[in-house]
Structures are given as structure tokens and as C-alpha cells.
Amino acid sequence: MFRNYNPNEIEPRWQQVWEETGLHRAVESGEKPKFYCLDFFPYPSGDGLHVGHCRNYVPTDVISRFKRMRGFNVLHPMGWDSFGEPAEQFAIANGVHPRLTTDQNTANFRRQMILIGCSYDWSREIDSSSPEFYRWTQWFFLMLYKRGLAYHDANWQWWCPTCQTTLSSHEAVGGECWRGHTGVTRREIPAWYFRITAYADPLLDGLDQIDWPERIKTMQRNWIGRSEGCEIDFRTEAGEVVPVFTTRPDTVYGATFFVLAPEHPLVERVTSEDQRAQVEAYIAAAARLSEIDRLSESHEKTGVFTGGFVVNPLNGERVPVWVADYVLPAYGTGAVMGVPAHDERDFGFARAYGLPVRRVVAGPGEGQQVERDQESAVEAAYTGEGVLVSSGPFSGLSSIEAIERICDHLEEHSLGRRKVQYRMRDWLISRQRYWGTPIPIVYCEKCGEVPVPEEQLPVLLPEMADFQPDGSGRSPLARLAEFVNTTCPDCGGPARRETDTMGGFACSSWYFLRFTSPHYDQGPFEPQAMRYWMPVDLYVGGAEHAVLHLLYSRFWTHVMADAGLLPFREPFTRLLNQGQLLAPDGLRMSKSRGNVITPDSMVAAYGADALRVYELFMAPFDQDVSWSEEGINGARRFLNRVWGLYSAADSEKATVVGEDRDLARALHKTIRRVSERIEAFRFNTVISALMEFVNLLAERKRSGGGRTASFKQALDTLPVLLAPVAPHIAEELWHQLGHPGSVHLQTWPAWDAALAQEDILQIAVQVDGKVRAVFGIDSDVGEEQVKEQALAHPKVQQHLAGREVVQAIYVPRKVLSFVTRQVEPIAE
RNA sequence: GCGCUGGUGCUGGAAUUGGCAGACAGGCAUGGUUGAGGGCCAUGUGCCGCAAGGCGUGUGGGUUCAACUCCCACCCAGCGCACCA
């Protein structure tokens, strides 16, 4: 009856049974508490899954299976992020339509996920490039549009020449696009934006309410980049107002110059005739520098005096106006007051051009000395807070007080106003590409920009044989007259469709809602189902989406909450990032590098359960690790050993005789450890706990101890404990033991704390901090007896020779520590 | 430069959160089984030492009866931020 362990026979058999019996179907009913466990839905690449993906999908599968056995109603779905540039690029490279490649790739992904035993509810599979899905992406676009959160604007955009499309500022960082192409430039193209900046504060505040890695929260906070301060209106001599933004109005009396970004419109007007040639040359040079070069040059500051002056509204001083590219045109007002004594950048600039440095804030313990040192050399900018000096009526105030009083003063005299600045920009959603969700807008000659009415959705993405971008900066859809030409939904007159599509991040901003009712056709989701499952209880994926997807989806959720569609504002209650699994060469796996290890080859050689066990065991969940095939054999050996425990030798003929107290204790200890450690995402130690237990069982069996009731009990429980991590072998053993039903429908075992308790304790005896002896005692033995036994121990006596015990510290059940001193030789 | 996170045998890692460092694996070594290979089984495996014993968790200090764990300084690695006024 018990053959050799053959995972390649067992695994597909059970996978089929599970699918046929609908074991993983999630139904929103019953008294069980719900648990929505979500993986970042993948882009179904042509490379297929590699073992690195399993590092994400295996742990969430363990959690899902465990939670089901723990009595939760679990939703564990999977779908495809199949719209967007990667899919289109792949199709182009293969000379095939992306619909075809997407369908092939998703079929392959699904096959591989089943192969490794993932318990997804495939009846809820979604595909973001299907009309049933993108219809509702368009619906959300219209919702944003109607709420004034989607707008069309012609502006300088980030442009990736490789992708042939505009990018959001979030996607173009450091001269590279998010797909890793270099050479990102600026191009003036009209495009659609989402007004994410309107949600800066709610998005910031929401972070305090969610259980996410602090690292990710910090990245989002940095990205939003909120700073509080005020605008101060400087004036040109011609009387023109030039506001500057500052977070340090307390340093305004220290302004000794004024700087405009080269792009600032005032440069033209403020520049004097004798300086004009120099200024224009500087601006031209700055324009030649790409934004990237400008930002990477974080050391040397350059600039030119314009010959013009502005007046500081607080002290009436006339300060020189410079142009310098360290001032960014897009942040604040594109102009700053130069306070070299209290700002490092201004200090560097003043140093380079010999501008005066005037201290107006005294640090702790400085006081009068600062006033005396006023014109002497200052070594560095003092950027801390302190007490104001040489600041007119505000002298003597602390920085904190001064900031308030100066802001009050500015507002009372209309010289400025309190202001909050954000670094985050609006989200550019337009892509001049074919493979994406068409933007549901038409342009009517009479009515202008008109949203497509909801009942006309979806605006179908038309079939197109030649969908390659042509370098015109317009979407390939613009070449398709039958798509472009339409009628105005308002007046019925001739109109043209918007030909841009939405970037893929639109799809991923709401897909998690669709899983709650993937076939619903009256709206993006069925409200009852949404209320039942949402928010997502556990969301697991790589840390690379820290700001893009994870910020956008929060934004959409906040908007939907404001629109009354959702009863919560944060979509993902808890987020975890798994560690990366790198190739054996330490690099990321990719087909182009030729270092991909597929689950297919590993399953063929070792079985899916061994692959799962190994991936869980190789390193802590959140730690990066390089793949090595050396250890996977250990996982397989472990499963062989498990299998061997059930082999006919004694289990069949065994008559049950007696108890095995140690074994029973080990069983309960193992139940406790496995339960607590799965809950804590410490899967590597879940596996080691199971290994220890199996080793003990194997030892018992070998030494003839396999016929006790305790051993029987252990064999009955082991498949249940293995079910989350090694679901196939667990199911097979469960059935071979003759139990009815699936092991995955069993209730997770409880541990008996009393049974798990040791009754012989190992006490370590220390003499002057060093362990000198270890002995076992009954758990009910008291301190005095432990001491007595310790003092009688030869090793302890040896180290106590010639010394006297000054102090004895007893930590119950653990340690007895003697502190000694040298016995004084008896003086004559 | 600033901010996280980490640094433990040959390797991956463990340590009930201040209480026997190296669990559990991989690798290696020796022996057994086998026609051979693989596989499997047994034993050993932190360093020095014949031993008694000593040393040992990136480095240096500190707190404590007791430190991988807490505190201070520093070194290294990875990630994030980096002219945001």
C-alpha cells in the first residue's frame, strides 16, 4: 500500500481533485470571520514564473491554507496585470498581437501556479486587459473626471524614447524610466493628469492607521514631501511682487541675496542691461543641462548676478538678485531668499560668490557672541533652531515663537501668508500607446471636451494589426480613423475620440476591489461582496512598488470613499514585503541574463512540496537570498523521512501499547511552535520545528517505540501540521491513513499547554558568570534543593575550591548563578 | 551627507526577547550498505589545545551575577532620501 514517495504522481492528482471539488472557492457567507489575503497581481511576462516569484506566492499560500484551517473564510485570488508597456513590448518583439501573447502568458502563469500548489480561487481570476475589467477602469476615470480630479493639460512631460510615451514623474526617476530605459527627456505634449496632489494630506494622515513596514511609509512620506512654512512677498524696484516660499521665516533678517531659477519669468525683467549678456548665456547653459545632470551636480553651485534688486519686506533692505540653477523652477515659487548663515545651500552659494553672511539665529549657548561675530568669518551654516538676534522687533524670540509672530506680521500687513508646500506632483496618466485602457473622452467641435456617458462604456480598444508607435508623439490609435471619428454624446455632432490610453497603474489602482465580485456587470464591484471582503487583510509583494502602485491605489480608494462608494479609506490593512530571491550569481533572475530557475524544473526534480518547503526554509521571509540548488535536497529528504514514518513496517501490524510522555510533549510543543511561527511569518523556523519533530518520530520508530498511542496520535496529527506548507503529501498521507475528507478542511489542532510543559528542567549552574555544570531537575523542585544539588556537583565544587560564595542568583527553571570571591589567606 | 536595516561556524541560518551561542539544514570527513555511481544509514564537524582548560556572535568601550540580545563610539554591507528653500 505504501510505495516510495513519488511527488510527481501525488501532486497533479490532488491538484485536480482540489480544483474539481472547489476546495479553494471563496463564498461570502457563514459565521466565519473573513480573511482577504492578496498577492500583488503580476504582469504575465513571456518568461513565465521563476522560483523568485514563489518567494511571494508560497508564504501567502501557507497563510491562506493555515487561516482556512483556523476557521477563517479566506479569499485568496489571482489575476493578471496585463495592460501596459511590458506586454505591448513583448508582443512587438515577437511580432504577435498582445491579446494573443497575453492569453498565452496568463495560461502559462496559471499552469505554473497550480503546479506549485497555490490555493487560488480560480473562479475569480481577472485580467485587466479584458473589456469586462477595463470598462470599470474607464468608469473610475469618469468618476475622477466628474469630481474634478482628472484634467487635460499641455505641459512639458517626461518622455521615454524607448517606450515612446510620456511618463508620470513617479515613473521617471534619475533619468531612467521605471522600466529601466535611460535617456528620459522632456517633451511638450498635452496629456491627462489625476489630481493626486489634492489628496496629499489624507494620504499622509492615512499612513498612521495602517500596519505597513515603516520603510514603505517613510518612502511615501518623502514622496509627498509636505513642508509647512510661508510665502514672503519681496518686491522689485519696479514694484512687482515676487513671493518666495520658506520653512524658516525666522531667518528672514539674514537674507543677504535673492535667487531666481533660470526659468523664472522675472529674470527677463529684473536683469540690468550691463548684465544681460552674461545672464542670457547662463540661462542657455542651464537649459542645455538636462534636469538629471542638474540634480546630480550636488556640489558646485553656479549663478550670475542679474544687476537687479528686490526689497525684503521685513527690514526694507535692498538685496541683489541672482540667477542660479540650484533653485528649482517647479518647487515653491521658483525663487528663494538667500540666507547663507542658516541654510547650507545658500551658504555654499555665498561662499562661491563672496556674498555676505549674516547670522540672525544664535544656537544654544551662543548669545551675544553671535552679534559680535556678525561680520567675521562664519565656518558653516547653522541650520538648527535658536534665539533670534539682529532681527528687529523679533530679536530675543525663540525660532519657534518667531516663526509664528513673523507669519502673523506678514498676514496682518499683507506681506505674505502661511503656506504648505508638497513635493508630490499630479499623476500623469496618458500614454501614447496602444495596449492600454482607452481614455473615455471625446472632443466635440461645439461642446469641447465631453466625457463618454457611463452607459456607453466600455470604449473598446479596437483591433489593430500595426500598433507600433511612430515617433510622432501620438498614440497609434490616432491613425485609426474609424476609432477616432465619432459623434458627440451631447449634441450628436462630429467629434474625435481621445487616443491616449491609460498607464497600467490605473488598472492596478482598483483591481483588488474587483476580486470581491469579478463577474458583476452592474458596477465595478457588487456592494455587498465588497463590504464583506474589503479591506484587504494581508497584502504581500515586493518592496519595489513602495510609492507607485501603493500610493495610487490608496489615492483611488480615498476618492471612492469620498464618493460614498466605500466605507473605508485605506485598502490594505497590513502590508508585508517578502525578501528578494536572487539568481545564484546574486543578480535578479531574467531571461536576458540567462539565469532563470523555473519552478517547472525544480518540481520535476524534487516535487512541488519540496520546492515549497525549501523556499520557506532557506531564509527568513523578509530577507534577500540567492538561490542555490544545494539545499533543496534537504527539503526532499525531509519529506522522504516523513513518508517513511508511515511505511508498513510497524504501523500496520502495530498493536497500540502504552503512552510515550516525551513524544506527547513534543507533539504539543510542535503544534504550539508551528502555530505561533506561521502567525509571525517565521516560516523558516516553522520548517525546522517540523523537522525536529519528524526526527524524533523517526528515532522512535527505529528504536521500536512506534507502537504507542502517542506515536499513533503523532502520525494522525502530522499531516494536519504539514498541510499549509506541504499540501500534497499531507493530503496523500491523510487519505492513506483512512481519514475521510480533505486534510485541508480539518480544524487546526490546539495545543495543550500542560502537556507541552517539560517535567524535567535543565538547570545551568554558573560560577562567576561561566557555565560549569548542567543538570536536570523535576519541574516542581524548589530553589533550596537546586542549590544543594548544584553545590554537590563535582564540576561546581572544582570551581568553587578556594573561593567563597558571596551571592547566589536563581532564575527559576533556567539558571543558578554563583558569585564568589577569593578566600582571604588567614593573616598572621 | 542624512535615515533605516543588517553583520553569528565552510554555507543558509537558530537562540523562548538579558539566562547553556551555533537549533534545523546544506557542505565536508570517516565508516557502513552497493558490482560501480547515485541514493540511503551511522558517526564527527566553531577556533586553539594531547588534556585540563582557554577563546569565540564586525571593532573598541560600558552596564549586569549573566550580553548575539541593552547603552556609547566606530568600521563594513545593503536599501531609501539627497540642492524641495
Side-chain angles (χ1 to χ4, degrees), chain A residues 614-825:
Chain A
Y614 178 52
E615 293 230 8
L616 294 166
F617 184 61
M618 66 193 310
F621 165 79
D622 56 1
Q623 190 174 301
D624 290 354
V625 66
S626 292
W627 175 265
S628 150
E629 205 180 317
E630 293 204 322
I632 192 168
N633 231 329
R636 175 57 191 267
R637 277 201 276 261
F638 164 65
L639 296 175
N640 283 341
R641 229 168 14 247
V642 170
W643 188 266
L645 293 174
Y646 295 82
S647 70
D650 11 2
S651 64
E652 267 182 336
K653 63 180 179 207
T655 36
V656 170
V657 285
E659 294 287 324
D660 182 339
R661 174 80 179 102
D662 286 345
L663 196 57
R665 177 171 34 251
L667 172 63
H668 283 268
K669 207 161 118 184
T670 304
I671 297 171
R672 177 172 61 80
R673 285 174 164 179
V674 170
S675 311
E676 288 174 354
R677 293 172 185 183
I678 290 179
E679 211 66 81
F681 273 75
R682 293 170 47 210
F683 302 109
N684 55 332
T685 60
V686 168
I687 303 299
S688 67
L690 288 166
M691 284 173 166
E692 283 187 56
F693 185 52
V694 168
N695 289 347
L696 179 66
L697 290 173
E699 184 278 320
R700 280 299 193 276
K701 189 181 161 96
R702 214 181 310 122
S703 61
R707 297 157 74 171
T708 61
S710 311
F711 193 83
K712 281 281 185 208
Q713 171 77 50
L715 288 192
D716 268 351
T717 311
L718 186 59
V720 182
L721 296 177
L722 280 168
V725 296
H728 311 87
I729 192 176
E731 189 78 306
E732 179 67 18
L733 293 172
W734 184 253
H735 279 263
Q736 297 212 13
L737 284 166
H739 295 299
S742 171
V743 72
H744 301 289
L745 296 172
Q746 303 309 306
T747 301
W748 187 258
W751 70 89
D752 183 327
L755 263 177
Q757 184 92 205
E758 300 287 345
D759 37 30
I760 302 289
L761 301 171
Q762 295 298 311
I763 299 290
V765 184
Q766 299 185 342
V767 178
D768 292 323
K770 291 206 160 85
V771 176
R772 297 302 182 183
V774 178
F775 57 83
I777 56 158
D778 287 354
S779 60
D780 51 359
V781 163
E783 177 169 353
E784 284 312 312
Q785 272 175 283
V786 173
K787 257 186 222 171
E788 233 169 81
Q789 221 173 322
L791 288 169
H793 198 286
K795 280 280 179 195
V796 175
Q797 288 182 346
Q798 182 190 325
H799 286 94
L800 247 31
R803 310 190 70 86
E804 86 182 282
V805 173
V806 183
Q807 198 187 354
I809 295 152
Y810 179 58
V811 182
R813 314 173 68 84
K814 282 176 182 160
V815 166
L816 176 62
S817 181
F818 290 118
V819 188
T820 70
R821 69 162 183 227
Q822 185 79 46
V823 176
E824 298 290 335

Side-chain angles (χ1 to χ4, degrees), chain A residues 320-354:
Chain A
V321 178
W322 288 65
V323 191
D325 66 5
Y326 82 89
V327 176
L328 303 174
Y331 185 80
T333 64
V336 302
M337 58 178 195
V339 185
H342 303 293
D343 182 280
E344 278 168 25
R345 296 150 302 185
D346 296 342
F347 183 78
F349 191 71
R351 262 296 143 80
Y353 292 97

Side-chain angles (χ1 to χ4, degrees), chain A residues 4-230:
Chain A
N4 280 338
Y5 173 47
N6 180 4
N8 294 325
E9 186 276 318
I10 294 170
E11 290 171 355
R13 181 152 50 78
W14 285 115
Q15 285 159 8
Q16 199 186 338
V17 170
W18 295 335
E19 195 52 35
E20 281 167 7
T21 55
L23 192 66
H24 312 309
R25 290 277 163 76
V27 180
E28 40 281 349
S29 67
E31 285 99 68
K32 292 177 179 178
K34 68 94 181 180
F35 189 81
Y36 185 175
C37 177
L38 184 63
D39 298 313
F40 285 20
F41 78 154
Y43 150 63
S45 83
D47 296 357
L49 284 187
H50 52 69
V51 290
H53 290 97
C54 306
R55 198 96 205 287
N56 186 172
Y57 305 141
V58 171
T60 50
D61 194 60
V62 172
I63 293 287
S64 297
R65 291 178 180 275
F66 176 70
K67 287 283 183 184
R68 288 191 193 103
M69 295 175 84
R70 271 258 153 130
F72 286 83
N73 192 16
V74 172
L75 174 57
H76 188 39
M78 181 45 70
W80 319 110
D81 189 12
S82 53
F83 252 157
E85 295 89 82
E88 190 177 320
Q89 220 67 279
F90 178 78
I92 289 171
N94 288 272
V96 192
H97 195 273
R99 180 72 271 155
L100 197 68
T101 51
T102 296
D103 289 345
Q104 287 168 350
N105 293 348
T106 55
N108 188 39
F109 265 58
R110 191 188 313 112
R111 180 190 62 78
Q112 289 179 300
M113 288 171 170
I114 292 168
L115 182 74
I116 61 168
C118 286
S119 62
Y120 296 123
D121 177 355
W122 290 108
S123 72
R124 291 178 185 252
E125 179 181 354
I126 60 175
D127 175 350
S128 66
S129 61
S130 68
E132 298 76 43
F133 185 92
Y134 71 69
R135 170 185 181 181
W136 303 110
T137 309
Q138 293 173 337
W139 189 88
F140 282 119
F141 179 97
L142 295 176
M143 181 199 75
L144 290 164
Y145 183 80
K146 283 166 197 159
R147 300 181 71 81
L149 296 168
Y151 62 94
H152 199 220
D153 193 18
N155 212 331
W156 286 90
Q157 318 294 357
W158 292 106
W159 172 267
C160 174
T162 313
C163 302
Q164 289 272 321
T165 184
T166 51
L167 302 169
S168 72
S169 60
H170 305 194
E171 289 166 329
V173 175
E176 279 187 24
C177 85
W178 66 293
R179 308 255 314 124
H181 306 130
T182 54
V184 169
T185 56
R186 288 284 207 175
R187 201 160 164 174
E188 193 167 23
I189 290 174
W192 283 92
Y193 290 87
F194 289 141
R195 207 181 298 279
I196 191 173
T197 53
Y199 277 74
D201 280 331
L203 289 173
L204 216 41
D205 296 343
L207 290 174
D208 298 331
Q209 293 148 29
I210 47 183
D211 181 9
W212 284 24
E214 216 35 61
R215 207 164 52 95
I216 303 287
K217 290 191 187 183
T218 304
M219 284 168 77
Q220 295 212 351
R221 287 191 188 104
N222 286 342
W223 191 270
I224 296 167
R226 182 191 155 99
S227 7
E228 287 181 31
C230 65

Side-chain angles (χ1 to χ4, degrees), chain A residues 259-323:
Chain A
V259 193
L260 295 171
E263 294 85 347
H264 200 287
L266 186 74
V267 176
E268 169 74 22
R269 276 166 272 146
V270 81
T271 302
S272 67
E273 283 318 309
D274 54 324
Q275 290 296 104
R276 189 163 299 276
Q278 264 199 63
V279 168
E280 280 172 1
Y282 182 78
I283 292 171
R288 273 199 303 276
L289 279 180
S290 68
E291 185 107 0
I292 303 98
D293 296 333
R294 203 164 134 178
L295 289 178
S296 67
E297 257 189 312
S298 49
H299 31 279
E300 284 305 308
K301 292 202 167 29
T302 59
V304 170
F305 177 46
T306 62
F309 291 86
V310 290
V311 174
N312 182 332
L314 272 123
N315 58 11
E317 266 181 31
R318 191 167 167 269
V319 292
V321 178
W322 288 65
V323 191

